[in-house]
Amino acid sequence: MTGTDNAQDPLPAHQPAEQRGVSTSRPHVQSIPVTAAPERSYLPVLTLSKLNVYYGDFRAVTDVDLSFGNKEVTALIGPSGCGKSTVLRCLNRMNDLVPGARVEGEVLYHDTNIYDPKVQVISVRRRVGMVFQKPNPFPKSIYDNIAYGPRVTGMKVKDMDDLVERALRGAALWDEVKDKLKHNALGLSGGQQQRLCIARAIATKPEVILMDEPCASLDPIATGKIEDLMAELSAIYTIIIVTHNMQQAARVAQRTAFFTANVNDKGQRTGVLVEVDRTANLFNNPADPRTEAYITGRFG
């Protein structure tokens, strides 16, 4: 499963539209207010079928069936070591970069299995962007950080200046950096760097944005800005976020999936999907006692 230049690109073309404080405590399930925008009509963009992920002989995630709706935010929650980030990385084949990793089952982008050998990895990552836990701007200018993706993926760009501006506006960063586009991006604050990484992700015009604990290293004010930005971006993009903060999931996600881990006699943890539902239902009326035990703080 490699993304060579000779591989075909059967992925469906996508034409996107143009363009608080944080608590980590776990109150009783009924006390978590769900303030995310209402769920839209459900149209899946990505669908996982019997997904299993291995690192060598070790199975890290087992038999995950899960779909992600168009233009909505889905949160993946659960204790450490339950496979949330492993599942997230499968959605744009980031696990290809891990020695010994292999994926079984299907990951469908619309109706195309992204692990089909005919699919180019670079094409997958153009359509499914990624924002990591720690801001990771390149040691380049702000402008070149945004222009990097379109350049390396061979996007046909009529006006790069316009694309850079639109991406920065989309990440609510333009007004703060428009007079210093040639400055090194490493000089930005942590919150600004994370919004720059979001702008860099949307510069390639994806349909899906993956976020792996994007606020974990940010202060409450910067976290609030990222959460507000997620709400705005979900009108255009499908967003999938891994978070350990259940209050954050309640604030930003229309749907939430809860993962936990089964531990074998060797102490190895294999991630399993327990349930997925509308966020309000999952937090206020969980179907599985393991979910309720987690969100009420009895384990995890």
Side-chain angles (χ1 to χ4, degrees):
M1 296 180 292
T2 59
T4 64
D5 291 339
N6 292 326
Q8 300 177 29
D9 180 14
L11 286 178
H14 167 62
Q15 297 293 332
E18 287 299 315
Q19 328 203 261
R20 99 220 353 111
V22 178
S23 169
T24 58
S25 63
R26 289 181 183 158
H28 185 271
V29 59
Q30 294 293 339
S31 68
I32 301 179
V34 177
T35 57
E39 185 179 23
R40 303 177 177 89
S41 58
Y42 191 75
L43 296 171
V45 173
L46 282 163
T47 303
L48 312 183
S49 179
K50 300 300 180 187
L51 179 73
N52 290 267
V53 184
Y54 294 83
Y55 298 116
D57 295 330
F58 169 61
R59 181 158 62 174
V61 174
T62 184
D63 290 338
V64 174
D65 293 313
L66 182 60
S67 61
F68 302 96
N70 182 45
K71 296 181 182 178
E72 70 174 14
V73 181
T74 302
L76 309 184
I77 65 170
S80 297
C82 69
K84 307 181 298 294
S85 293
T86 294
V87 169
L88 191 78
R89 290 194 297 266
C90 288
L91 303 180
N92 71 344
R93 294 185 55 171
M94 290 298 292
N95 284 325
D96 288 13
L97 304 174
V98 179
R102 77 178 192 277
V103 174
E104 296 180 354
E106 288 187 328
V107 179
L108 299 180
Y109 172 75
H110 297 288
D111 294 322
T112 302
N113 185 2
I114 68 171
Y115 284 89
D116 188 308
K118 296 178 181 179
V119 173
Q120 295 184 25
V121 175
I122 195 170
S123 177
V124 173
R125 293 177 188 157
R126 276 182 58 181
R127 291 164 170 81
V128 185
M130 184 93 177
V131 177
F132 296 92
Q133 179 177 1
K134 184 178 180 180
N136 61 341
F138 302 136
K140 301 173 179 287
S141 70
I142 294 169
Y143 184 101
D144 286 338
N145 264 267
I146 305 302
Y148 180 84
R151 287 169 176 165
V152 300
T153 59
M155 280 181 58
K156 295 180 179 179
V157 178
K158 180 181 293 187
D159 186 338
M160 186 63 76
D161 291 349
D162 180 64
L163 184 147
V164 168
E165 179 178 343
R166 284 188 288 111
L168 289 168
R169 285 189 183 278
L173 190 57
W174 172 254
D175 289 339
E176 298 171 43
V177 302
K178 61 184 178 182
D179 296 324
K180 47 186 176 182
L181 295 179
K182 298 303 181 182
H183 292 197
N184 194 306
L186 298 179
L188 297 173
S189 70
Q192 288 175 323
Q193 287 185 12
Q194 193 67 305
R195 281 183 285 146
L196 177 69
C197 293
I198 293 172
R200 189 174 65 193
I202 65 179
T204 58
K205 300 183 179 180
E207 185 173 6
V208 181
I209 302 173
L210 311 178
M211 298 186 176
D212 193 358
E213 296 190 67
C215 303
S217 62
L218 303 181
D219 61 50
I221 293 175
T223 293
K225 290 182 178 180
I226 297 294
E227 291 181 359
D228 289 344
L229 179 57
M230 278 191 269
E232 295 174 10
L233 292 176
S234 66
I236 304 172
Y237 307 99
T238 295
I239 297 176
I240 305 165
I241 177 175
V242 166
T243 180
H244 280 285
N245 188 312
M246 288 180 291
Q247 286 80 7
Q248 181 173 75
R251 287 192 294 268
V252 304
Q254 285 77 47
R255 288 165 60 85
T256 297
F258 170 63
F259 288 77
T260 192
N262 294 332
V263 183
N264 64 18
D265 54 8
K266 297 180 181 178
Q268 294 176 318
R269 300 168 64 87
T270 298
V272 294
L273 173 64
V274 176
E275 64 176 299
V276 59
D277 203 342
R278 293 191 300 273
T279 298
N281 288 351
L282 188 134
F283 280 127
N284 296 319
N285 189 27
D288 192 289
R290 292 171 293 177
T291 309
E292 184 170 3
Y294 178 75
I295 61 181
T296 56
R298 295 202 293 274
F299 84 96

